[in-house]
Amino acid sequence: MTLDAKIPSGPLEKKWDRHRLEMKLVNPANKRKFDVIVVGSGLAGASAAASLGELGYNVKCFCFQDSPRRAHSIAAQGGINAAKNYQNDGDSIYRLFYDTIKGGDFRAREANVYRLAQLSVNIIDQCVAQGVPFAREYGGLLANRSFGGAQVSRTFYARGQTGQQLLLGAYQALCRQIGIGKVQMFPRTEMLDVVLVDGQAKGIVVRNLVTGEISSHAADAVVLATGGYGNVFYLSTNARACNVTAIYRAYKKGAAFANPCFTQIHPTCIPVSGDHQSKLTLMSESLRNDGRVWVPKKKGDKRAAHEIAEPERDYYLERKYPSYGNLAPRDISSRAAKEVCDEGRGVGSSGLGVYLDFADAIRRLGEATIRERYGNLFDMYQTITGENAYAMPMRIYPAVHYTMGGLWVDYNLMSNIPGLFVLGEANFSDHGANRLGASALMQGLADGYFILPYTIGQYFAGAKPLKPPASRPEFKKVEEETKARTQQLLSVRGKRTVTSFHRELGKIMWDYCGMARNEAGLKEALRRIPELRREYWHNVNVTGENQELNQALEQAGRVADYMEFAELMCSDALMRRESCGGHFRTEFQTEEGEALRDDANFSFAAAWEYQGPDKPPVLHKEPLAYEEVKMSQRSYK
Amino acid sequence: MNLTLKVWRQKSGSSRGQFVEYQAKDVIPDMSFLEMLDVVNEGLISGGEDPIVFDSDCREGICGMCSLVINGIAHGGHRGTATCQLHMRHFNDGDTITIEPWRAKAFPIIKDLVVDRSAFDRIIQAGGFVSVSTGGAPDGNAIPIPKEAQELSMDAAACIGCGACVAACKNASAMLFVAAKVSHLGLLPQGKVEKDRRVLRMVAAMDHEGFGGCTVTGSCEAVCPKEISLDFIGLMNREYLGASLKGS
């Protein structure tokens, strides 16, 4: 396998412009001859499907939810970054680019990140034109807030529901194309495999979740915008059905999987309340604008928060990182929370929690202002915990939130399989080892609105429409494999539920491949995962049958893939003998306990190639060449 | 606490459904309603029975996938709360809880508690958008929008498309859902351009899907997890009347 990132030559700030000029175009009359499959209808998928439809391509879009409007992008709360510099506070495209590269701990691709920063300004314009009701000032202009890892205010927001509003914008654009017949939508349909014809991605095999019917769809190109794999940990802030299946199946068909161990643990989530817990709920990072994070100075201090006087409190983020304070990046904040809890200073009944206190902000700004800024988040907190955060501090704890790793793509967002494009969280390219807040929405929309519509044309240009018929033997073969696998899951009829396996796998991953990792732990995980996987295929109990709406079966297929994928994640974490961003190896830290990178040996994207069942994957390295930025140790002090 | 559940079970859209009784034991007050059902389902699967099928995804009240009528009230009757955010601390030991799907002609049952809400998507496809294609948008600050208009638009835009408004309405009317989208876009300068066309098309699509008429009882507003105001229905009626008179 050769990995050619296809980064255009020339100065950083000219690369994308130049590439756009050099890319071949498809004549408008010819676009309608090309069929494109888009899997996923979140920000990346919906924006891509809509934009491709507008250009004239024939699009088929698939999602497993009952409507494209429900994709998990909808749950993003805080905002979307853009280098508009509306606040006159010194922001620029270069600064957004630099903050993102630095936030990613110098493990992202320079050219991709610069392009992302450039496109960020177009995204805001596009969304405003669609009718996204971004927050405004009294003068009628757009409002901004600041976010972790930045010292400027560049985050655009729509209350605490920015993801929802951006997704509805993309969904409405998608609906417009569905209405005029340029996009055909397949809701409640799950992609179970990708089909290659002559080494190129030419279709997918899907299961209709209502009827159980397994069928093939052929196209000239396949776009995966299927999100991240945080649910490998069982508990995460991801929606219940988010899964790795689409990209993992593509990996098994030959697509390289890059940096799978780069996962983001978000510092501000509501702590776990018990074993029944089905998912974790994020409290937007924007809360850290006005909330102060603290724990008692004394170990095992079980007094209520209001009984602990100022001098007895440790505002540890402000103490350790005075210049960024409570707005330190996510990985650093999460680890700091873990440290104080490990020291026995955690709060709440489980001891796994820290306070996020708004008392000072309420004194300074008044409760009404805080209510206006964060009202829905405070309500959500009260709904879940039964506590009033206006009167007492919130309790928060880190939780798995986002996965920076994903399928390897080149500058054109095409994987190493020709014709297979990967967008949004499903790819690996822009966030390095840690994603900054309000950047996921930016990336999803940049990929879908402004990058893929250009680069897919380059792939099609010159080529004749190649769409093979879905009756070709390649499709039949994958269909048969998929049916056999489904049947196998249904025929085990063992004693344990899918959920119990998933929970056990998640515990292994959280303990050994979570916020802190080390060699011994990762080796232990790599011993236990295959054991658990063997038990899974002999002892899982999937009730019902295939020819019906069968949620247990859907879940069983996803967990089966997690069982294999978890091993890839741990192998990647074990290989990367350094700490960077969200990947913290306890063996590699500075004296102050910060992540210690090893640029001499690990300045590369780790792209793994599948070799077959029970064979170790092969590692390919894409060196990260920094032309513009000088790598440095991140400092937020 | 221990609870008795009466759950609507229906194998498929074409088969007959019925209530089946289940016991939910050792329910913890901090559990969400859906987590309580998860635990019941784990027990059913272990006993070799088919689990109760219900829709859910984000479980934080924003995706709009969850859809249960609990004790006769869509989403269970706690103001501004979707089923997934309803917690068991609101119930008492020994309670009997009835759980049903959304019931409306335009939302046919697929299985158990899962219904087909694609009618909502088709209404949006008919006109619930601003007709702009990607690219060429003017600067986001080119058109100032009064904060009040933006805030009101956002109140309407908060709709999660769950369909509780339809489930709660005695006529299974979709007026609140449609009014929310008409208002969200119509209140912004970007959406005003095609507001007449939009409202006419969306209302026609709504009628075509078989939703009932609105008699302004307000039950939709009462169950809406995003507390979308009934006022938006008034606003839509005004827009609809204006557009009809213009004959566009």
Side-chain angles (χ1 to χ4, degrees):
Chain A
M1 176 187 295
T2 49
L3 298 177
D4 178 2
K6 301 204 176 78
I7 295 168
S9 56
L12 189 59
E13 65 278 10
K14 297 266 193 289
K15 283 182 195 291
W16 177 236
D17 287 347
R18 184 171 165 173
H19 191 57
R20 281 198 297 174
L21 196 63
E22 286 172 355
M23 276 188 289
K24 291 186 194 134
L25 300 173
V26 180
N27 172 323
N30 284 338
K31 287 199 177 92
R32 62 173 177 268
K33 295 176 186 161
F34 289 95
D35 294 358
V36 185
I37 283 172
V38 178
V39 187
S41 65
L43 286 181
S47 60
S51 302
L52 294 175
E54 289 160 8
L55 286 173
Y57 295 109
N58 307 305
V59 182
K60 284 181 174 179
C61 183
F62 297 80
C63 73
F64 60 69
Q65 295 90 349
D66 71 329
S67 161
R69 68 179 290 150
R70 309 206 198 280
H72 189 56
S73 305
I74 203 148
Q77 299 168 353
I80 177 167
N81 286 331
K84 284 284 199 183
N85 194 29
Y86 284 156
Q87 305 304 323
N88 196 30
D89 57 359
D91 200 9
S92 63
I93 285 169
Y94 193 90
R95 191 179 291 280
L96 174 55
F97 152 72
Y98 184 77
D99 284 349
T100 308
I101 278 273
K102 177 186 170 194
D105 216 356
F106 304 95
R107 288 293 174 266
R109 209 188 264 153
E110 204 179 47
N112 287 54
V113 178
Y114 194 86
R115 174 177 63 187
L116 179 65
Q118 282 177 303
L119 294 174
S120 67
V121 296
N122 304 90
I123 294 171
I124 300 303
D125 300 341
Q126 184 63 35
C127 294
V128 168
Q130 288 172 341
V132 170
F134 283 122
R136 302 254 164 188
E137 305 290 356
Y138 278 105
L141 303 187
L142 289 157
N144 289 117
R145 56 166 60 141
S146 46
F147 242 62
Q151 288 173 314
V152 293
S153 267
R154 63 159 75 98
T155 304
F156 295 77
Y157 62 100
R159 295 196 188 143
Q161 292 135 271
T162 317
Q164 180 201 24
Q165 293 309 314
L166 296 177
L167 183 63
L168 292 180
Y171 160 77
Q172 286 162 203
L174 175 63
C175 280
R176 179 171 158 244
Q177 295 305 308
I178 297 170
I180 56 178
K182 283 312 288 181
V183 178
Q184 202 185 348
M185 188 70 217
F186 296 83
R188 289 200 196 271
T189 306
E190 182 161 31
M191 170 188 153
L192 292 180
D193 219 330
V194 58
V195 181
L196 307 192
V197 176
D198 303 329
Q200 309 209 11
K202 291 295 166 198
I204 58 174
V205 167
V206 299
R207 180 170 179 272
N208 178 321
L209 298 183
V210 175
T211 64
E213 187 201 358
I214 289 171
S215 62
S216 295
H217 294 266
D220 296 291
V222 175
V223 179
L224 300 184
T226 54
Y229 47 84
N231 277 347
V232 69
F233 291 90
Y234 184 67
L235 284 181
S236 81
T237 65
N238 285 187
R240 292 277 286 170
C242 290
N243 65 82
V244 77
T245 290
I247 54 175
Y248 189 72
R249 295 275 129 197
Y251 162 74
K252 289 182 86 167
K253 284 284 190 291
F257 207 115
N259 302 333
C261 81
F262 286 172
T263 45
Q264 175 162 85
I265 316 279
H266 196 292
T268 51
C269 301
I270 299 177
V272 176
S273 72
D275 289 339
H276 57 268
Q277 193 101 18
S278 62
K279 70 118 24 185
L280 296 171
T281 304
L282 173 79
M283 302 304 293
S284 167
E285 175 168 307
S286 60
L287 290 169
R288 290 199 279 146
N289 270 309
D290 289 307
R292 297 178 70 196
V293 177
W294 64 276
V295 290
K297 281 187 178 160
K298 230 177 37 217
K299 275 185 198 177
D301 192 338
K302 288 289 164 204
R303 289 177 293 169
H306 69 270
E307 292 168 5
I308 302 175
E310 275 303 311
E312 296 177 274
R313 299 178 176 189
D314 178 12
Y315 294 89
Y316 58 89
L317 285 176
E318 296 171 22
R319 172 172 59 80
K320 289 166 85 167
Y321 309 102
S323 67
Y324 280 75
N326 294 299
L327 286 174
R330 292 177 174 179
D331 53 337
I332 288 176
S333 308
S334 292
R335 232 160 19 239
K338 180 181 188 307
E339 269 168 33
V340 295
C341 292
D342 287 352
E343 288 166 15
R345 297 195 285 146
V347 301
S349 54
S350 65
L352 293 176
V354 300
Y355 286 128
L356 179 63
D357 198 336
F358 291 87
D360 282 353
I362 290 173
R363 261 194 301 276
R364 194 174 69 243
L365 304 163
E367 191 175 313
T369 306
I370 296 299
R371 195 178 294 276
E372 188 196 345
R373 284 186 193 167
Y374 312 111
N376 65 324
L377 298 170
F378 278 56
D379 292 348
M380 185 196 259
Y381 183 80
Q382 179 149 30
T383 302
I384 293 172
T385 63
E387 291 172 4
N388 174 7
Y390 295 104
M392 60 203 281
M394 287 182 181
R395 284 174 298 110
I396 54 166
Y397 196 67
V400 175
H401 179 54
Y402 187 87
T403 50
M404 283 74 70
L407 289 185
W408 183 90
V409 289
D410 63 16
Y411 189 72
N412 296 315
L413 303 183
M414 189 160 82
S415 71
N416 56 304
I417 297 177
L420 183 70
F421 292 82
V422 192
L423 315 186
E425 190 178 355
N427 76 25
F428 89 109
S429 64
D430 291 4
H431 305 298
N434 173 56
R435 179 175 65 75
L436 288 185
S439 290
L441 304 182
M442 175 172 68
Q443 187 219 342
L445 291 180
D447 288 2
Y449 282 135
F450 297 114
I451 302 175
L452 182 80
Y454 292 87
T455 60
I456 204 167
Q458 155 98 338
Y459 171 69
F460 289 146
K464 288 207 167 58
L466 292 170
K467 190 184 95 168
S471 56
R472 287 226 355 182
E474 287 90 343
F475 287 90
K476 287 289 153 222
K477 182 165 170 286
V478 179
E479 263 183 49
E480 290 312 316
E481 286 166 7
T482 307
K483 283 177 188 162
R485 196 174 126 89
T486 306
Q487 211 41 57
Q488 202 184 342
L489 283 167
L490 283 165
S491 61
V492 180
R493 302 281 172 190
K495 294 209 169 0
R496 285 182 66 182
T497 63
V498 177
T499 302
S500 85
F501 278 103
H502 194 177
R503 200 177 270 136
E504 185 174 341
L505 177 70
K507 179 87 168 56
I508 295 174
M509 295 304 284
W510 180 247
D511 287 347
Y512 300 116
C513 200
M515 261 190 287
R517 303 148 175 195
N518 59 50
E519 184 170 336
L522 289 165
K523 285 186 169 161
E524 174 65 13
L526 285 169
R527 189 184 62 74
R528 284 168 58 178
I529 295 165
E531 273 178 17
L532 187 66
R533 186 169 63 234
R534 269 190 294 279
E535 191 197 336
Y536 186 74
W537 286 100
H538 287 103
N539 198 25
V540 72
N541 183 9
V542 185
T543 53
E545 50 201 301
N546 178 46
Q547 304 298 332
E548 61 176 346
L549 177 59
N550 186 340
Q551 294 175 326
L553 178 61
E554 294 164 25
Q555 196 196 355
R558 294 166 191 159
V559 173
D561 287 328
Y562 278 133
M563 288 278 177
E564 296 179 21
F565 175 71
E567 219 177 323
L568 181 67
M569 259 178 92
C570 292
S571 306
D572 186 47
L574 185 63
M575 176 281 300
R576 194 168 277 279
R577 295 177 56 80
E578 65 161 351
S579 294
C580 54
H583 171 64
F584 190 75
R585 285 279 299 260
T586 56
E587 306 98 309
F588 308 102
Q589 50 182 307
T590 64
E591 279 174 22
E592 298 96 35
E594 304 295 342
L596 185 62
R597 287 201 327 267
D598 177 355
D599 291 337
N601 294 304
F602 289 95
S603 179
F604 60 80
W608 298 88
E609 184 186 6
Y610 184 69
Q611 297 294 309
D614 299 317
K615 285 189 198 142
V618 168
L619 172 65
H620 301 269
K621 299 176 183 177
E622 184 207 325
L624 294 169
Y626 283 88
E627 297 170 7
E628 186 76 27
V629 168
K630 200 172 147 305
M631 287 178 164
S632 60
Q633 199 202 321
R634 283 193 311 172
S635 171
Y636 290 95
K637 289 185 192 290
Chain B
M1 55 185 162
N2 296 313
L3 306 163
T4 303
L5 309 180
K6 285 185 173 173
V7 183
W8 185 260
R9 301 297 310 258
Q10 184 171 336
K11 188 87 182 141
S12 70
S14 54
S15 54
R16 273 181 80 89
Q18 58 174 348
F19 282 106
V20 179
E21 212 169 280
Y22 300 97
Q23 300 301 317
K25 293 207 160 55
D26 303 323
V27 174
I28 300 164
D30 277 342
M31 280 180 176
S32 72
F33 196 84
L34 298 183
E35 285 170 346
M36 182 273 295
L37 284 180
D38 288 342
V39 172
V40 170
N41 271 345
E42 288 288 286
L44 289 178
I45 295 170
S46 298
E49 283 183 68
D50 274 354
I52 302 159
V53 180
F54 59 90
D55 266 332
S56 84
D57 201 21
C58 79
R59 296 208 174 185
E60 49 188 81
I62 193 74
C63 77
M65 190 109 175
C66 62
S67 48
L68 300 180
V69 174
I70 300 163
N71 289 336
I73 305 174
H75 288 311
H78 285 264
R79 250 196 126 65
T81 305
T83 301
C84 65
Q85 293 280 278
L86 177 65
H87 281 69
M88 297 312 292
R89 65 179 75 95
H90 300 301
F91 295 87
N92 302 310
D93 187 37
D95 280 359
T96 297
I97 305 173
T98 311
I99 308 172
E100 295 169 83
W102 284 176
R103 294 191 191 275
K105 184 176 136 201
F107 289 165
I109 291 179
I110 294 174
K111 187 179 177 181
D112 292 349
L113 304 169
V114 172
V115 300
D116 179 352
R117 286 169 287 190
S118 53
F120 270 11
D121 287 324
R122 288 189 291 273
I123 293 175
I124 300 293
Q125 287 157 20
F129 45 76
V130 177
S131 298
V132 293
S133 295
T134 306
D139 186 88
N141 265 345
I143 307 172
I145 301 176
K147 189 176 169 67
E148 296 76 11
Q150 170 262 317
E151 291 283 349
L152 194 58
S153 166
M154 181 65 213
D155 288 343
C159 168
I160 58 175
C162 63
C165 46
V166 175
C169 177
K170 63 188 170 76
N171 297 336
S173 169
M175 282 287 272
L176 192 63
F177 169 79
V178 179
K181 187 51 67 192
V182 163
S183 305
H184 157 212
L185 297 174
L187 285 163
L188 298 172
Q190 288 82 3
K192 278 209 166 77
V193 180
E194 54 187 329
K195 72 179 174 59
D196 293 344
R197 201 172 93 112
R198 177 181 309 116
V199 70
L200 293 174
R201 286 186 175 203
M202 288 183 75
V203 169
M206 174 179 80
D207 292 343
H208 177 76
E209 293 292 343
F211 292 102
C214 174
T215 49
V216 208
T217 65
S219 55
C220 50
E221 181 189 41
V223 299
C224 174
K226 294 294 154 188
E227 302 178 79
I228 309 275
S229 165
L230 207 56
D231 294 351
F232 291 120
I233 293 182
L235 203 149
M236 175 167 84
N237 282 336
R238 208 157 58 232
E239 279 207 7
Y240 185 79
L241 181 65
S244 305
L245 290 174
K246 280 186 233 165
S248 52

